[in-house]
Each structure stands twice: as C-alpha cells, then as structure tokens.
C-alpha cells in the first residue's frame, strides 16, 4: 500500500513535469529571407498613423493623447528595431497601451510577448486566433509543423467580427478575415491630419499558406468556406488608404522611399487593392480546382 502510493505520487510528479516541459518548449523561428527583417526607416503614413516595421514586416503605430496602439511586432528580434523606430519618430514604446495583430504567425507575433511584458499594454486579438497564440503557433493548421515558432502569449481581450477597439479619440473596427489563419483580421479606422481625414484599411490579405488539399485539413474544417467568405467581404470595404501585413503586399517600396516628404495620397491606390484581391480570388479558385482534380 505504502509503496503503491509512493509510486502514484511519483507518476503524478513525472506527469506534471512533462506537461510543464511541453508548455515551456523552446521557440524556434522558421528561417526567413534577410530582407524581411532588415531595418527600415520609420515614417508618418497619414495623420497619427506611422510605419514602424521592418523592410517587409509591417508594424503600425497609432498615437493618441491617451497612449498608443501598436499593430504587429515582426520577428522575435524585431523588438529592438521597433523600439528604435518609435523613438526616431519622437514617441516612446513605453506609451503603448494596446497591442494588436493581423494574424497569429511568427512573422507578426515574434516580439509580441516581449513587448507586452515591457509595456504592460493590453493585447486584443480575434478570438479565433487565441488558441494559436497560447501555443506559440504549434497548434496552427499549417505552420504548426515548425513547432513553437513564437513565444506564447495570453490575450487580455478577445475580439469578434465588427468589434471596436477604443483608445483616446481613436476607434478601430476589427474585421474577421479568416483563412490564412483561423483568426486573421483587418482593421478599419479614421486618422486625421491638419487638413483632412483618411479612412484607413490595414488589410490582412488571404494568401494561401498550405499545399494540403483543403478538405484534408482536419484541424481547420471549413477553411475553403472561410477563404471564400473573406474574399467576398474584402471586395465590399470602402477606404481612402490601404496597407497590409507585409510591405510587399501593398507595394510600399514603390509608393514610398526613405526620406520622402509626408504624402498620404501615395497610399490611396484603389486599383492596386482591387488587383490584389482579384489575384487572390484566382489563386483560391485554382487551389480549389487543383484539390478537386487530385482527389
Ligand atoms: Zn502569415
């Protein structure tokens, strides 16, 4: 009897140890091109909206009198650069009150846990991405194959489609745009400068991540329907300026060069947006057709 209980206690201890070892799994970021994370000069996009990301990993700062909102955080090592970019513009990372992400992938979530810890800002995410945030990407239907690819982080508020995020005089609406991840999302809001106000869309474009047939992805049933929904929803958004999760997606480097004067009009480009969405629509249809043929 005595022996038996000692044994069951040690089994419990071993189990507890194993599960904590699992959750403390080491973060291993997939390799990316050097260009993605290269330093990039921050600049004012429109009104109180600024670009503070790397060469390709777009991060956005929205300033208010009640503190700032930071959208996306690049790779794990991007925290130093984001902080520097914010300071170059005359602001402080420590004034960040709200953290947002357009999708739960390592190239936008990399420095999130570290920045959340240092700023104590509130992290608000689409509820559908909360699980992947908690596992540091290892429960993602596709990138889960890389294991834990960013530091797990717990959100303070879960958002649903159409929810509003408020800080100071800013109001951002979260638009649920699933497919790329289960909780990919875009943000729609208005910023003002001395002359005008601009309706801004930060679009998370529904690019296809997986090579698996959609109907064989058991951890994401309904993925094809989600892509179809997102493509349709994205055609019906009106805005003055559009941006995206990656600089290359909205052709930042064609529209703006380091040192250029303030020029919000450079990001108007309705035609570029329409082309991007129609290209993605074709890519999606090709994928669905390919899945059908290979069945
Ligand atoms: Zn992604």
């Amino acid at each position: 009897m005595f022996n038996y209980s000692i044994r069951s206690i040690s089994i419990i201890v071993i189990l507890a140890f194993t599960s904590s070892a699992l959750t403390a799994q080491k973060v291993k970021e997939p390799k990316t091109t050097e260009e993605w994370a290269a330093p990039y000069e921050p600049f004012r996009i429109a009104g109180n909206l600024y670009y503070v990301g790397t060469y390709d990993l777009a991060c956005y700062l929205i300033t208010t009198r009640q503190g700032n909102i930071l959208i996306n955080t690049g790779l794990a090592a991007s925290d130093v650069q984001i902080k520097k970019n914010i300071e170059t513009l005359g602001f402080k990372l420590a004034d960040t009150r709200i953290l947002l992400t357009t999708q739960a992938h390592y190239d936008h979530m990399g420095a999130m846990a570290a920045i959340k810890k240092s700023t104590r800002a509130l992290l608000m995410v689409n509820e559908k991405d909360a699980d992947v945030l908690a596992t540091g990407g290892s429960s993602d239907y596709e990138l889960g194959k890389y294991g834990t690819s960013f530091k797990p982080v717990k959100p303070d508020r879960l958002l649903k489609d159409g929810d509003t995020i408020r800080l100071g005089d800013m109001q951002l609406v979260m638009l649920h745009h699933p497919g790329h991840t289960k909780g990919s999302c875009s943000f729609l809001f208005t910023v003002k400068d001395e002359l005008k106000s601009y309706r801004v869309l930060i679009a998370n474009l529904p690019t296809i991540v997986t090579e698996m047939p959609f109907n064989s992805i058991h951890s994401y049933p309904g993925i094809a329907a989600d892509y179809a929904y997102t493509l349709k929803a994205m055609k019906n958004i009106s805005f003055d300026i559009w941006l995206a999760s990656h600089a290359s997606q909205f052709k930042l480097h064609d529209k703006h060069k380091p040192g250029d004067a303030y020029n919000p009009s450079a990001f108007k480009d309705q035609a570029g947006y329409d082309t991007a969405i129609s290209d993605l629509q074709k890519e999606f249809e090709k994928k669905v057709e390919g899945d059908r043929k290979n069945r």
Side-chain angles (χ1 to χ4, degrees), residues 5-110:
S5 48
I6 287 284
R7 185 186 287 169
S8 53
I9 287 167
S10 44
I11 286 170
I12 290 165
V13 169
I14 288 163
L15 280 176
F17 180 77
T18 316
S19 76
S20 75
L22 274 177
T23 49
Q25 220 173 40
K26 220 175 137 48
V27 175
K28 226 180 132 205
E29 230 169 39
K31 264 220 174 336
T32 58
T33 64
E34 244 171 71
E35 196 179 54
W36 264 27
Y40 187 71
E41 194 179 287
F43 67 97
R44 183 184 183 202
I45 300 169
N48 48 319
L49 170 67
Y50 301 83
Y51 188 91
V52 296
T54 66
Y55 185 83
D56 190 60
L57 304 175
C59 306
Y60 301 98
L61 185 77
I62 300 166
T63 59
T64 86
R65 284 189 188 156
Q66 269 68 51
N68 306 329
I69 300 170
L70 177 64
I71 305 176
N72 291 346
T73 62
L75 300 176
S78 304
D79 60 343
V80 179
Q81 215 186 305
I82 292 168
K83 183 170 188 280
K84 203 177 137 215
N85 286 348
I86 291 174
E87 284 166 0
T88 300
L89 294 166
F91 305 108
K92 288 187 197 131
L93 178 65
D95 289 336
T96 309
R97 297 284 171 269
I98 294 176
L99 292 164
L100 301 171
T101 186
T102 50
Q103 44 155 299
H105 277 166
Y106 68 93
D107 49 338
H108 313 283
M109 284 297 299

Side-chain angles (χ1 to χ4, degrees), residues 275-292:
T275 304
I277 300 297
S278 90
D279 286 352
L280 287 163
Q281 179 76 48
K282 281 177 213 148
E283 193 187 324
F284 170 70
E285 282 162 13
K286 210 174 127 195
K287 163 87 177 141
V288 170
E289 186 56 29
D291 285 359
R292 195 176 295 142

